[in-house]
Amino acid sequence: SLHDALPISKRWNKYWDAYNGDYFKNENLPDYKSDLVSNYIFSIVETIRPIMLDNNPKFQVMPRQPEGLEYSNDLQEALSYEWDREKMNRKLYKELINTLVYGTSIFFLPWDSKEKNVKAIPVNPFNIFPDPLATSVEDAEYIIYASYKNVHKLKRMFPKKADKLNGGNVNYSELVQDNNRNAQIDNQVLVLEVWTRDEDTFKYPNGRVITTCPELGIILTDKPNPYDDGELPFELIKDYDVPNKFWGEGEIAQLLSPQKHMNELNNAILDNAKATANMPWIIDNNSGIGVGKITA
């Protein structure tokens, strides 16, 4: 089940709460205790993010042989055009939050047969389930792309299966792209797109793609991988590459502990200041000084 494949999501949720500052809030503290949260993690991530794109990243075409030099400029122009057409700088800037917080950003790179070009679709890491033995996209036996789709949209995409499609609620809120979105959404269907390197070299020499609705028990399509190289159309961007691991590691893992202790230290200083910086006065009832007349 998908729940069995989601243990890493608990760590990612903790990282996201730390980025937002929610992880450090303690609602069980008594009123007299300070609960200051100075979120240095957010500041650090948002300082790093624009610097990473400061040089306006682009492809650079370098010919391997001298005879390829005359074609390198044309190829450079083509790649620059594709980069700008897909608005990659804008997409990268947004997805760098996932890179720095979770450790990995993912792009799905399908070929759009109608528009005759490649799409660069950002994918929430929560929506990707790789082969557990994989260390990269290249050596993964399969990658599952899970998402929720509106039942009406799904019926238009697969009219032959329309009579079997029924919408329901979102049961796996981890798969919803917007973390603030209500988990109880009507007319949604869980769709799994399974990209696998099938062992049947005769029927599926380049692998296969299975699109299914597991909660409805329906297979929408089962077809060969449309790409001649047989590769899986996903690209990972990692903050720190962890050896022999599919997922990278981000900044939060290293910043979480010092951030927590800095908050504890700051609050201890505040509590101490409240208790000692303004010492209380004990006033005798016969002193002639009214209540509240001495303020410091």
Side-chain angles (χ1 to χ4, degrees), residues 95 98 104-108 121-126 128 234-237 246-247:
E95 291 306 304
N98 286 339
T104 310
S105 295
I106 301 175
F107 280 89
F108 179 47
I121 302 173
V123 180
N124 192 317
F126 285 88
I128 293 294
F234 297 91
E235 186 66 36
L236 270 58
I237 301 174
F246 183 86
W247 300 108

Side-chain angles (χ1 to χ4, degrees), residues 84-108:
D84 294 337
R85 180 185 60 78
E86 277 298 294
K87 300 179 177 60
M88 286 304 299
N89 276 0
R90 185 186 305 175
K91 291 180 180 179
L92 276 179
Y93 185 70
K94 181 180 178 182
E95 291 306 304
L96 279 178
I97 294 180
N98 286 339
T99 307
L100 296 170
V101 174
Y102 301 136
T104 310
S105 295
I106 301 175
F107 280 89
F108 179 47

Side-chain angles (χ1 to χ4, degrees), residues 133-135 241-246:
L133 299 180
T135 64
D241 194 6
V242 181
N244 302 318
K245 297 292 184 181
F246 183 86

